[in-house]
C-alpha cells in the first residue's frame, strides 16, 4: 500500500503504472498526473540558483497552507518554513527537475489497483481539477476533497488519517 503526497503521489502513480506487481493500493494526495509546467519548474530552479532555499521558503508555505491555517498555527508553518530553508538545494533542484519532466496523464489509465484520490479544496499547487482528472482516468478510484491547501494531511490530519484508514480497511473487508 503506497500513500504519496505531492511529488510522492506522482511517484506512487508511476509505481502503479510501471511496477503494478509491487502495488496493492494507492493513496494519492495533493498531486496531479502533470504538476505545473516546464516553465514554472524552470523558473523555480532559477529562483533557487539565484536566491537559495530561503528564496522559496515563504512561497512554499504560502501555497502549502491555507490563510486560515497559517493564522491559527504559526508555529507549525514556521517549522515547515525552517525545513524548506534547511533543505539541501541539490536535492530540491532534483525534485524540481523530476516534477518538470514527468507527465503521467496518458499512462495512469493503466493503473488497475484500488486508488483513493485526496484533494485540498484550496490547493493552488495541485488544484482539485487535477485530482478529478486522476479520479476520472483510474477506473474504480474513490475521491475525497478536504477543506485544506496543499498539505491536507497536516491541515486536516484527523480527516485525512480517517479516510486513509477507512480506505485501507475496506480493502481487507
Amino acid at each position: 500500500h503506497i500513500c504519496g503526497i505531492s511529488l510522492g503521489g506522482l511517484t506512487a502513480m508511476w509505481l502503479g503504472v510501471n511496477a503494478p506487481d509491487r502495488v496493492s493500493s494507492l493513496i494519492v494526495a495533493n498531486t496531479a498526473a502533470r504538476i505545473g509546467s516546464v516553465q514554472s519548474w524552470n523558473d523555480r530552479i532559477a529562483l533557487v540558483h539565484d536566491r537559495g532555499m530561503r528564496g522559496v521558503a515563504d512561497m512554499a508555505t504560502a501555497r502549502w497552507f491555507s490563510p486560515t491555517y497559517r493564522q491559527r498555527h504559526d508555529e507549525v508553518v514556521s517549522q515547515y518554513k525552517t525545513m524548506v530553508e534547511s533543505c539541501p538545494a541539490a536535492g530540491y533542484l532534483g525534485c524540481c527537475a523530476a516534477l518538470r519532466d514527468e507527465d503521467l496523464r496518458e499512462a495512469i489509465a493503466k493503473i488497475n489497483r484500488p486508488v483513493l484520490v485526496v484533494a485540498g479544496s484550496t490547493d493552488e499547487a495541485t488544484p482539485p481539477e487535477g485530482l478529478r482528472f486522476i479520479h476520472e482516468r483510474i477506473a474504480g478510484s474513490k475521491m475525497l476533497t478536504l477543506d485544506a491547501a496543499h498539505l491536507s494531511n497536516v491541515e486536516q490530519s484527523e480527516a485525512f488519517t480517517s479516510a486513509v484508514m477507512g480506505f485501507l480497511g475496506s480493502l481487507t473487508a
Side-chain angles (χ1 to χ4, degrees):
H1 305 285
I2 301 168
C3 178
I5 299 165
S6 193
L7 173 57
L10 190 64
T11 304
M13 289 184 287
W14 187 94
L15 288 168
V17 169
N18 294 288
D21 56 315
R22 301 186 74 181
V23 175
S24 296
S25 70
L26 299 170
I27 298 112
V28 295
N30 304 93
T31 192
R34 173 74 180 126
I35 300 175
S37 67
V38 171
Q39 187 60 52
S40 69
W41 291 112
N42 284 337
D43 291 347
R44 181 85 57 92
I45 289 167
L47 177 64
V48 172
H49 282 299
D50 187 46
R51 296 184 48 215
M53 292 306 297
R54 289 181 185 240
V56 296
D58 285 327
M59 177 182 62
T61 55
R63 292 172 63 96
W64 289 353
F65 301 105
S66 67
T68 302
Y69 188 87
R70 288 193 313 268
Q71 288 174 341
R72 292 184 182 159
H73 302 280
D74 184 55
E75 69 289 344
V76 173
V77 175
S78 292
Q79 289 173 337
Y80 277 86
K81 181 180 177 192
T82 300
M83 178 191 70
V84 172
E85 290 172 341
S86 61
C87 179
Y92 185 84
L93 291 170
C95 291
C96 289
L99 288 163
R100 177 195 63 206
D101 298 343
E102 188 60 79
D103 185 344
L104 295 174
R105 288 177 288 193
E106 296 298 322
I108 59 171
K110 296 176 187 173
I111 296 173
N112 63 357
R113 298 292 188 261
V115 176
L116 174 63
V117 178
V118 182
S121 62
T122 62
D123 187 349
E124 294 177 17
T126 55
E129 301 80 49
L131 282 297
R132 267 194 292 284
F133 180 90
I134 294 167
H135 173 56
E136 291 168 358
R137 299 301 181 289
I138 301 176
S141 65
K142 299 180 180 353
M143 183 167 172
L144 168 68
T145 302
L146 296 174
D147 183 21
H150 192 58
L151 295 185
S152 63
N153 63 313
V154 176
E155 272 197 60
Q156 295 290 331
S157 59
E158 290 179 22
F160 184 93
T161 301
S162 178
V164 168
M165 297 308 291
F167 172 73
L168 293 174
S170 73
L171 300 178
T172 60

